[in-house]
Amino acid sequence: QITLKESGPTLVKPTQTLTLTCTFSGFSLSTSGVGVGWIRQPPGKALEWLALIYWDDDERYSPSLESRLTITKDTSKNQVVLTMTNMDPVDTATYYCAHGIVTTILGAGYFDYWGQGTLVTVSS
Amino acid sequence: SYELTQPPSVSVSPGQTARITCSADALPKQNAYWYQQKPGQAPVLVIYKDSERPSGIPERFSGSSSGTTITLTISGVQAEDEADYYCQSVDSSGTWVFGGGTKLTVL
């Protein structure tokens, strides 16, 4: 059974760096064709893909946020960490991590299991 | 940048067929995926690779693709299908993208 859970601060101040941890079970991030991604959703708004790390250490980022994001993995701990720098109130959102299945050489795929999400509020 | 465009809302009566479209702004179109999200819950995958249905998803959910348009069809809509639906794909550079979402209202 695959499960994922996000953890991190619920409140951050503007200009601070956000660090979120996704702790998962039921799969290994060293298995070919597997990835873990981060997606966020501002209150009342649409899903926005942020980043993905693949089993082979390849990383992909949203072009609009790439300069602020870093995704890393610790396979031994079954964790994926996302850092986002220079937080702003517009970054207030529920942040999800999800298990990804890669279906093409290009690295395309989908998310078949999601964490429950964690609401992060950016405010002074 | 690659964009997926969905109608903001679709309304149907119970038992009718709902069709939600997702238009990609460029070719080639990669496979598309659909997620259902109910209020306060995480998204759930309902269609993958344009038309495949994960185990546990009712048969009334189906997907199709034509040109740059992907369609999610829900046949015999039930009240429990009321939710937001998001399409997702990947562009030619490997960037994952979500559509803007469609709110399905069951009248």
Side-chain angles (χ1 to χ4, degrees), chain A residues 94-114:
Chain A
T94 295
Y95 287 75
Y96 295 98
C97 65
H99 173 269
I101 295 292
V102 178
T103 59
T104 73
I105 296 175
L106 178 64
Y110 60 95
F111 298 113
D112 57 350
Y113 293 92
W114 295 63

Side-chain angles (χ1 to χ4, degrees), chain B residues 7-76:
Chain B
S9 63
V10 169
S11 299
V12 295
S13 299
Q16 289 189 329
T17 296
R19 292 182 180 85
I20 300 173
T21 58
C22 173
S23 297
D25 67 354
L27 286 171
K29 181 191 72 63
Q30 306 292 334
N31 284 336
Y33 311 91
W34 289 96
Y35 303 87
Q36 176 194 68
Q37 186 182 33
K38 296 183 178 179
Q41 298 182 18
V44 172
L45 180 73
V46 294
I47 293 290
Y48 66 101
K49 289 185 181 180
D50 288 353
S51 60
E52 301 292 322
R53 196 173 52 251
S55 61
I57 300 301
E59 291 184 6
R60 62 180 181 273
F61 288 86
S62 64
S64 62
S65 176
S66 178
T68 57
T69 300
I70 312 101
T71 301
L72 172 69
T73 300
I74 310 172
S75 304

